[in-house]
């Protein structure tokens, strides 16, 4: 047995005497959790945005709940609260975490992936409340759930104001 093997064996035996299997896996799990923190959606929000996809042709009233982009929205429309369907009102900030939906544009009859962003920082707008749940998923499948306050991860805390509907691109 060489020296490296003896040192490794001594360290392994020492650890086995001091640690239980449960505490070892607990520490391993904690280390893995800390190592994966940069993979959370919040940290990706600060990354530079690439080129924006071409926007589809649209018609209709963006202040109406029946507007095609709002097929999976739940909340107050930012287009009624001083913002637009794709931007937050002044004094609010978009949440870095979103939920997504797929909506059909009646102009070109194509499906588009829509990112729904909550705007945070001011109290609830209170105008143009919409609750459309097409293809909404349960809360335990959060990427498609519109029942979560997505203002977590913002500097303003969890104060919800309104929601936007940003076209990410054509669904394939």
């Amino acid at each position: 047995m060489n020296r490296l093997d003896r040192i490794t064996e001594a360290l392994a035996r020492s650890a086995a005497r001091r640690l239980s299997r449960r505490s070892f896996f607990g520490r391993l799990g904690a280390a893995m959790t800390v190592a994966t923190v940069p993979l959370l959606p919040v940290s990706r929000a600060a990354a530079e945005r690439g080129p924006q996809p071409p926007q589809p042709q649209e018609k209709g009233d963006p202040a109406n709940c029946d507007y095609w982009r709002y097929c999976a929205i739940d909340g107050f429309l930012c287009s009624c609260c001083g913002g637009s369907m794709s931007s937050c009102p002044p004094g609010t900030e978009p949440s870095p975490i979103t939920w997504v939906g797929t909506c059909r544009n009646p102009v070109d009859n194509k499906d588009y992936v829509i990112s729904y962003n909550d705007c945070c920082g001011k109290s609830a707008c209170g105008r143009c409340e919409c609750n459309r749940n097409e293809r909404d998923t349960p809360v335990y499948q959060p990427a498609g759930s519109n029942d979560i306050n997505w203002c977590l991860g913002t500097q303003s805390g969890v104060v919800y104001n309104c929601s936007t509907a940003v076209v990410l691109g054509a669904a394939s």
Side-chain angles (χ1 to χ4, degrees), residues 12-13 43 58 76 83 85 89 116-117 129 132 135 152 171:
R13 288 182 185 276
S43 66
E58 304 188 58
F76 303 111
M85 59 189 162
Y116 297 100
N117 295 68
E129 182 176 8
R132 294 182 58 191
R135 299 185 202 122
L152 302 170

Side-chain angles (χ1 to χ4, degrees), residues 51-58 68-69 105 108 112-113 167-170:
Q52 296 298 316
Q55 296 295 306
Q57 294 180 357
E58 304 188 58
W68 75 273
R69 282 191 190 194
N105 183 349
D108 60 9
Y112 290 88
V113 177
V167 175
L168 295 180

Side-chain angles (χ1 to χ4, degrees), residues 76-94 117-125 127 160-164:
F76 303 111
L77 302 179
C78 286
S79 53
C80 295
C81 301
S84 70
M85 59 189 162
S86 59
S87 65
C88 291
T92 64
E93 64 177 317
N117 295 68
D118 284 347
C119 296
C120 313
K122 288 182 173 178
S123 61
C125 167
R127 292 191 300 268
Y160 167 79
N161 182 261
C162 61
S163 298
T164 62

